Amino acid sequence: MTPRRGSTVGGYSYQWSLFVDWCAAADVEALPASPITLAEFLAENPAGDAVQLRRVSAINRAHLDAGHPAPGRVTSIRIALNSVRSNRTIRRAEQYKTIAARLPISGSTAALFGRRDAVLLVLAGAGLSYRAIAELDRTDITTDSGSVWIDGRHRVGIAPNCATGFEPASIWHRWHTVLQFSECYPSTTLLAEHMQRNTFPDMSGLPQRLGPVAVPIDRWGHLPLPVTALTAAEVGAVIARHRTGVSPLHTPRRPIIRPSDGADRSEPITAPELVAAKLDSGYYRSGVEARRRAHTALADVPDMVDDVEDRIEKLLERTLQLLDSSASGGST
């Protein structure tokens, strides 16, 4: 649909033509245009505020004359900005939930990290900043019918998802059990034994005590004593490693074997018959190279998506500031 020429030729023809030409070069729709397209146009064609406001007015007028919503109205920009933020929050939440569900919860030192990191991922997916997670206290978190509630100044609820089997309350209880056990029994060896067997005693009746949620763990599974909290930067580093698929290194502890009554109940071990396989001399090298190429090609994908969304958000915010600064003069 072509806008009526009476509105644009009089004072907006140049601004509208510039926008149409830019849209053609960028291979995007000029009419109707989205608020994101308008924001990108203004960013790639810098000018003073007065000129930019006139461009917005021209684009709005052309859209209104053609019967389309004006992409440069304050309300339109705010809706687009909220949509970008909402979509990113939803996408990240689902991504973090998927990662958290795959982390180990028992059997090794890595499971200790898995219990903690799953909680950090779920909290970040709920929209808490790294600083907020670092400052979060255990007493701020409660559970109710499978849901997790973050009280204090946050007032955030994280509900379970029966379709995917996501259980935020279980994820929190597993890590909270570790924190409570370490507080009552400050022994790394004893903690490792219970992690290995996943046989923690029932501590639900213990009083709730103050203490950070995000606690550092060294590579051997030692928790600090007295308990300290991770910094916001450290929380961000943990989440970034999981998001990019670069798992941190953990030094496994030797299995803990308790003495029995002395009877040897071990089964005789029969060595399997070895079958020699004829492999090409470059078999392993080519496999390693293929995995390296795949990792290099895909490792940056999550960050690229985040960068695009961050750029769009900044463009919309800049456009909104421009419109707000005009004090709603009626031209847009």
Side-chain angles (χ1 to χ4, degrees), residues 19 44 50 159 248 286 294:
F19 179 68
E44 295 188 13
S286 60

Side-chain angles (χ1 to χ4, degrees), residues 170-313:
S170 297
I171 291 175
W172 166 242
H173 284 312
R174 282 193 288 263
W175 174 235
H176 190 225
T177 296
V178 171
L179 294 175
Q180 286 183 304
F181 185 87
S182 299
E183 191 174 70
C184 296
Y185 310 98
S187 167
T188 302
T189 301
L190 193 59
L191 175 62
E193 178 179 353
H194 283 280
M195 285 294 304
Q196 181 179 320
R197 300 177 178 179
N198 194 23
T199 55
F200 286 96
D202 181 16
M203 292 176 287
S204 58
L206 295 179
Q208 183 77 297
R209 294 186 180 181
L210 296 173
V213 171
V215 176
I217 310 170
D218 70 16
R219 62 185 303 179
W220 293 278
H222 296 282
L223 276 69
L225 190 65
V227 177
T228 58
L230 291 170
T231 65
E234 290 169 336
V235 172
V238 170
I239 293 174
R241 283 198 298 263
H242 286 292
R243 189 178 68 242
T244 57
V246 182
S247 299
L249 296 176
H250 306 307
T251 301
R253 296 178 60 87
R254 297 183 63 181
I256 300 171
I257 302 175
R258 292 293 184 186
S260 60
D261 56 5
D264 184 7
R265 297 184 176 86
S266 59
E267 296 290 335
I269 301 176
T270 303
E273 181 180 356
L274 299 178
V275 179
K278 296 181 180 180
L279 300 176
D280 181 76
S281 59
Y283 175 81
Y284 292 106
R285 185 179 66 256
S286 60
V288 171
E289 289 297 329
R291 293 186 63 182
R292 183 180 292 113
R293 287 194 300 271
H295 178 75
T296 302
L298 299 177
D300 294 335
V301 171
D303 288 337
M304 289 172 60
V305 174
D306 287 340
D307 289 342
V308 170
E309 291 179 337
D310 287 340
R311 179 176 179 273
I312 291 174
E313 183 174 340

